[in-house]
Amino acid sequence: MAKKTAVVDLGSNSIRMVIFEKTSRYGFYTTHEFKRKVRLGENSYNNKKFLQKEAMQRAEETLSFFKQCALKNKCKKIFIVGTSALRDAPNSKEFIKRIKNKLQLNIRCIDGKNESYLGGLAALNLLSNFKDGTTLDIGGGSSELCLIKNRKIIDCISLDIGTVRLKELFNSDSKKLDEFLESTLRLIPETFCNDNLIAIGGSLRAISSSIMQKNSYPLKNLHDFRYNFEDEKDYICKILNTNANSLIDFGIKKDRFDTIKEGALIFLKIAQKIKAKQIITSGVGIREGIYLQDLLRPLKYFPNNFNPSLKSLQDRFLTNNIKNKTPQYALQIFDTLKEIHNLNTYYKNILIVASKLCHIGEYLNFYFANEHSANFILGGLNYGFSHKEKALIATIIKLNGKKAIPYNLEHFKQLLPNSQIITWLGFMLTLAKTLSFSEEKINFSFCKDTLYIYNKDQKLNLSKDEIKKITKPSNINISINQAP
């Protein structure tokens, strides 16, 4: 597979391109993202769905620019997919041929079900673990829903309700708009009802961003941000009912002013229709779905216990740390002390991930390496981890065996477990990290409130002073070079 791949989503409202770089077989990350508000579907819905000359010209100019960017970034593959506006247009073949002849670019026009499937595929692979959910991707021309049950895609549908379509067809006729929405919502099968609604697309991300800002949410990551629908429904209604000049007060960007109200309306109607309780914001969608189809083929999902973000960080920044013993020692310490710390497997997995990444900050600088590592986690551990998991991993690395949570992590408290869990994880991680510099084989045993660290055949050359600095849970002692 190509090391760098560009994926272009030719939507009714915007054209976006994302460049992905592969770091190993399944490890990858995003290197660039480009967006142009082209409005390919502008004035088409009230002109028998024909693409207009001005819109096609804007799209051609944007695709030409995107091609230059892709080539400049040495992309070996460029995938371009057209969605609602293109598949609806009677003159779509004319436009596709024009782009082929002028720019030597191939556009693949996909149907609504395929568009829905690609969004569901991305969410299923790149969000933190969830069992059931219904994805909702609100675009300019249509809205796609994908039903996920037991972590498998079950069904996909596409509805002809999009922000631009509603704006152009029903701009001043609320009665006809209500009738149209009511008849369209009847097309959603009862099976799509779900506690989890997975929000995809620019309008829904803008709403999530506004809610995060209102609530002073501690992380700035939109991907995997979750909230209770009932708690925020009234606030979303305020966005819907406010005048355009006041949208700035909700943290809505100006380029969303003309379609955010239509997006909020569609969102509220569908969320209520499927009886959603929790909204899970997805920072990924059709573009990532297209890339994953190519990356994973013939598979549909990543292998068990594999995470592309974790692997990508290791590939890029830890190549000189192949002999790192920290994960091995962290696992041994966790298992040796399980009768006293009483932490379940969930926290064991957190500890292992932290132990794999705790040295990553050294890539930037030895000084303040733990702080650098925490920033790598918060900014780069994007896929497959919840916000709580990212905050906890960053915190125990940054603590580095100290007792108090650093002042610049205080705002994460609402995402973190109790202090006893943090102390245990921080202790085990820092101890494993300290021991990892030893060249000798290390054994662990626990007996009568004491953790014994020793080698059966020789004396370990360990820094007792460094180990003494580590904050221990109150009910444990450490003995070095003495077997139980």
Side-chain angles (χ1 to χ4, degrees), residues 27-119:
F28 75 93
Y29 69 107
T30 300
T31 66
H32 294 83
E33 184 169 1
F34 304 86
K35 175 189 173 184
R36 290 282 179 90
K37 197 167 185 177
V38 172
R39 290 290 180 82
L40 181 60
E42 187 173 44
N43 292 324
S44 66
Y45 299 110
N46 48 21
N47 282 286
K48 299 181 180 180
K49 300 181 181 179
F50 277 86
L51 299 178
Q52 302 300 294
K53 289 182 179 180
E54 297 82 358
M56 287 191 288
Q57 181 60 35
R58 292 195 299 266
E60 180 187 328
E61 291 170 359
T62 296
L63 289 173
S64 176
F65 170 69
F66 282 3
K67 179 182 178 181
Q68 292 175 30
C69 294
L71 295 177
K72 182 179 178 181
N73 283 279
K74 301 179 181 179
C75 294
K76 299 299 183 184
K77 289 184 179 181
I78 303 176
F79 294 109
I80 306 175
V81 294
T83 54
S84 178
L86 202 59
R87 64 175 170 258
D88 288 347
N91 59 339
S92 62
K93 289 183 179 179
E94 172 190 324
F95 175 72
I96 292 171
K97 185 177 180 181
R98 168 179 172 175
I99 298 302
K100 172 66 175 176
N101 292 338
K102 286 191 173 184
L103 303 179
Q104 289 74 54
L105 292 174
N106 295 311
I107 298 174
R108 178 166 63 104
C109 186
I110 60 174
D111 62 31
K113 281 200 169 187
N114 196 4
E115 184 179 356
S116 170
Y117 172 83
L118 290 167

Side-chain angles (χ1 to χ4, degrees), residues 212-250:
M212 290 171 73
Q213 180 177 303
K214 171 181 73 77
N215 295 340
S216 300
Y217 190 73
L219 276 182
K220 300 306 179 186
N221 303 96
L222 272 172
H223 185 63
D224 224 306
F225 168 64
R226 304 181 180 209
Y227 61 91
N228 186 291
F229 178 63
E230 281 299 318
D231 291 346
E232 305 297 345
K233 184 168 67 173
D234 289 344
Y235 180 74
I236 299 168
C237 287
K238 287 181 180 179
I239 295 176
L240 173 61
N241 295 317
T242 194
N243 62 66
N245 294 329
S246 298
L247 285 170
I248 193 74
D249 298 330
F250 292 86

Side-chain angles (χ1 to χ4, degrees), residues 318 320-321 323-330 333 355 358-360 362 366 369-370 373 400 429-442 444 453 460-463 466-467 470:
L318 292 170
N320 295 326
N321 224 325
K323 295 182 179 179
N324 174 28
K325 297 180 181 178
T326 306
Q328 172 191 339
Y329 290 153
I333 295 168
S355 67
C358 64
H359 296 280
I360 197 169
E362 297 164 15
F366 172 79
N370 295 309
S373 294
N400 195 35
L429 174 64
T430 309
L431 179 58
K433 186 179 177 183
T434 303
L435 298 175
S436 70
F437 295 102
S438 173
E439 294 296 326
E440 299 91 355
K441 181 180 179 181
I442 295 178
F444 301 92
I453 304 172
L460 295 173
N461 184 16
L462 300 176
S463 173
E466 289 298 314
I467 293 174
I470 303 172

Side-chain angles (χ1 to χ4, degrees), residues 182-196:
E182 187 176 340
S183 63
T184 304
L185 291 173
R186 292 195 197 104
L187 301 175
I188 302 176
E190 286 295 319
T191 53
F192 276 71
C193 290
N194 220 305
D195 286 350
N196 292 322

